[in-house]
Amino acid sequence: MSIIREDEGNLDENFTGLVLGGDYAFQMINKPKIKVNGTESDSKNDVALGVIGPMLDWYPDPSGGGHLGLTLGWAALAVSNNDNSSTMANARGTGAALHGGWDFWVGEQWSIGAQARLITASVSSGDTPKETDKVASFALLFDAVYH
């Protein structure tokens, strides 16, 4: 669903360049650095982090390429064993994905470009005692957008 409006002079002009949609932000992190009780170390396991939810993306100049966006939603974290053959831990919670980038028009309705994305989440497992993990991941990405 999009609320990009090009018509000038009506009440909707305040919403020019805003796009409302759905987003699934996912990153596979190979052997990340972890911090437990203030002590940082290298992990021997891989981590999958995902956030799914509604997304708001803002193009300050709808005919330009720059945009900033935010996704708020449900988060999931999975830790796999050393050879990625099974999942050792699962956790669920809430998260956010913040992104910004620049797209270049390659067609009437298509653009491609680069994007920087930060995903953060606060997740916990159903285990007792309950453990809450705060995770963050940053990535530089290629994107393709159909407007």
Side-chain angles (χ1 to χ4, degrees):
M1 177 178 161
S2 169
I3 53 176
I4 292 180
R5 302 296 291 249
E6 294 296 332
D7 47 344
E8 295 293 326
N10 68 28
L11 294 175
D12 291 336
E13 70 185 19
N14 293 331
F15 297 107
T16 299
L18 285 177
V19 177
L20 178 63
D23 188 22
Y24 176 57
F26 174 82
Q27 289 180 318
M28 184 70 173
I29 308 151
N30 295 317
K31 316 236 179 321
K33 292 198 178 292
I34 58 172
K35 188 184 287 187
V36 177
N37 297 327
T39 303
E40 190 172 291
S41 63
D42 291 324
S43 174
K44 296 177 182 172
N45 306 93
D46 293 335
V47 174
L49 171 63
V51 173
I52 188 168
M55 172 199 66
L56 186 64
D57 207 359
W58 177 54
Y59 290 79
D61 176 4
S63 61
H67 62 102
L68 296 170
L70 174 67
T71 300
L72 298 174
W74 298 271
L77 177 78
V79 179
S80 59
N81 66 4
N82 292 344
D83 63 3
N84 289 322
S85 63
S86 65
T87 300
M88 296 173 44
N90 284 310
R92 308 260 184 276
T94 58
L98 178 66
H99 68 267
W102 191 270
D103 297 325
F104 300 93
W105 291 96
V106 294
E108 187 175 316
Q109 293 293 320
W110 282 97
S111 62
I112 59 172
Q115 182 180 123
R117 177 174 284 199
L118 173 68
I119 300 176
T120 64
S122 177
V123 296
S124 59
S125 63
D127 299 337
T128 304
K130 192 169 190 167
E131 174 183 301
T132 299
D133 297 310
K134 297 192 183 330
V135 293
S137 179
F138 178 79
L140 294 174
L141 308 165
F142 165 81
D143 65 7
V145 180
Y146 179 77
H147 298 268

